[in-house]
């Protein structure tokens, strides 16, 4: 895969190139840039298959650069220091990212995923969704759910609940559709917190909008949802759940 690295620190570019040479010989770095404008120029000139992109750069962010390019014929792996909002937006769009300093095992995994996605040509929709997540109101957001054969984009407001299935998560929607997603429920606990979702149990995440009542019987607490489903509430979470429902 041909690749371009865009990072405002030359030291970071050199370190990433060394890691790629050592652990990912299938990646051929054909360009380097230390500003978003230089990066956009290289992308248009060389048409690389893979971009390693820093989010926070002076004058213009990696997100800004993507918005200006508009034509996403490449895969993107964001390489950044921890930024809560930026990483959340990337995760919502089912895109990949690496935290600095880059872990070699995670780099190998990210490159392999980018190679697989390159064959499916899904990235255009994912980047468009990422930019939508950053620039629009919450109610307009879509989140990317990685399924076996596709990335499904859904409105969080249509999700009734999520249920843990080992390292997967099963999503239940208000139109009765169910999806099995290849990420653990802990990922969505963080991502859906601002969308009225409550982690009421280790294995359950519930959209507050669909809670009908909190019921107690024989010292066992359950949430009754509008679709008739009963969801257990752990003892340690009961107070938190009551506070969240009352918001």
């Amino acid at each position: 895969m041909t690749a371009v690295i865009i990072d405002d620190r030359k030291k970071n570019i050199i370190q990433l190139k060394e890691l790629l040479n050592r652990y990912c010989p299938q990646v051929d770095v054909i360009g380097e840039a230390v500003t978003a404008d230089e990066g956009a120029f290289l992308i248009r000139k060389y048409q690389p298959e893979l971009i390693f992109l820093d989010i926070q750069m002076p004058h213009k962010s990696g997100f800004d650069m993507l918005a200006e390019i508009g034509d996403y014929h490449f895969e993107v792996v964001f390489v950044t220091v921890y930024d809560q909002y930026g990483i959340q937006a990337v995760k919502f769009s089912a895109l990949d990212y690496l935290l600095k300093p880059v872990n070699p095992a995670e780099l190998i995994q990210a490159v392999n995923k980018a190679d697989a996605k390159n064959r499916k040509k899904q990235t255009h929709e994912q980047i468009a969704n990422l930019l939508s997540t950053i620039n629009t109101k919450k109610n307009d957001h879509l989140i990317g759910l990685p399924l076996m054969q596709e990335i499904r984009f859904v409105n969080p407001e249509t999700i009734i609940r999520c249920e843990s299935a080992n390292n997967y998560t099963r999503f239940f929607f208000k139109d009765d559709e169910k999806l099995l997603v290849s990420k653990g429920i802990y990922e969505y606990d963080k991502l859906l917190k601002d969308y009225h979702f409550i982690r009421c149990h280790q294995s359950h995440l519930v959209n507050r909008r669909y809670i009908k009542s909190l019921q107690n019987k024989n010292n066992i607490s359950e949430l009754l949802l509008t679709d008739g489903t009963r969801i257990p509430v752990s003892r340690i979470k009961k107070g938190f759940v009551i506070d969240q429902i009352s918001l």
Side-chain angles (χ1 to χ4, degrees):
M1 300 177 69
T2 56
V4 165
I5 302 175
I6 305 169
D7 193 304
D8 64 306
R9 294 180 179 273
K10 186 68 176 179
K11 178 182 177 181
N12 291 337
I13 294 176
I14 293 172
Q15 291 175 341
L16 182 55
K17 281 183 66 178
E18 290 176 350
L19 290 174
L20 289 168
N21 287 335
R22 181 178 300 180
Y23 298 103
C24 305
Q26 72 272 39
V27 176
D28 179 19
V29 179
I30 58 174
E32 307 165 14
V34 293
T35 69
D37 287 336
E38 290 177 9
F41 173 79
L42 290 180
I43 291 171
R44 294 188 179 103
K45 180 178 180 180
Y46 294 118
Q47 302 287 302
E49 297 169 288
L50 177 60
I51 308 296
F52 291 96
L53 179 61
D54 190 12
I55 293 177
Q56 296 175 319
M57 294 184 287
H59 310 301
K60 192 177 294 183
S61 72
F63 295 150
D64 294 332
M65 188 206 74
L66 290 175
E68 289 182 4
I69 290 176
D71 180 19
Y72 312 121
H73 55 272
F74 46 80
E75 305 304 319
V76 180
V77 175
F78 292 93
V79 187
T80 184
V81 294
Y82 187 75
D83 173 75
Q84 179 63 43
Y85 178 66
I87 293 303
Q88 184 181 49
V90 170
K91 284 186 173 183
F92 260 45
S93 306
L95 288 161
D96 212 351
Y97 71 96
L98 297 169
L99 294 178
K100 299 175 184 175
V102 175
N103 179 285
E106 293 176 355
L107 175 62
I108 294 169
Q109 184 178 39
V111 168
N112 289 339
K113 286 170 63 176
D115 191 25
K117 286 197 301 179
N118 185 49
R119 300 189 186 100
K120 297 178 181 179
K121 303 298 180 186
Q122 296 171 329
T123 300
H124 188 284
E125 290 81 5
Q126 290 173 275
I127 295 177
N129 184 57
L130 166 66
L131 299 178
S132 173
T133 300
I134 294 168
N135 295 319
T136 63
K137 297 178 181 178
K138 285 182 182 178
N139 289 341
D140 298 325
H141 285 179
L142 300 178
I143 64 172
L145 301 180
L147 308 181
M148 293 297 292
Q149 300 296 327
E150 63 177 333
I151 304 294
R152 180 77 67 86
F153 295 102
V154 304
N155 187 328
E157 302 297 340
T158 66
I159 303 167
I160 295 178
R161 64 187 181 93
C162 306
E163 182 177 331
S164 177
N166 295 321
N167 292 325
Y168 292 79
T169 303
R170 186 168 281 107
F171 281 71
F172 297 80
F173 295 85
K174 67 179 183 180
D175 63 358
D176 294 328
E177 184 178 18
K178 300 177 183 66
L179 295 176
L180 185 64
V181 177
S182 55
K183 284 187 177 181
I185 197 169
Y186 58 89
E187 293 272 6
Y188 298 103
D189 184 12
K190 297 176 183 178
L191 294 181
L192 294 172
K193 187 178 296 183
D194 293 333
Y195 290 84
H196 316 292
F197 280 77
I198 302 171
R199 185 76 175 273
C200 62
H201 186 277
Q202 182 178 358
S203 300
H204 296 278
L205 188 60
V206 175
N207 190 334
R208 193 174 71 206
R209 294 176 180 271
Y210 298 99
I211 295 174
K212 189 173 182 179
S213 65
L214 173 62
Q215 302 184 347
N216 298 286
K217 187 176 181 180
N218 298 326
N219 292 323
I220 297 176
S221 299
E222 291 182 327
L223 291 174
L224 176 62
L225 306 187
T226 54
D227 66 351
T229 305
R230 293 180 179 273
I231 303 298
V233 177
S234 67
R235 290 184 181 180
I236 196 171
K237 291 280 190 179
K238 184 176 178 180
F240 167 76
V241 170
I242 292 173
D243 290 341
Q244 291 297 306
I245 293 175
S246 303
L247 290 178

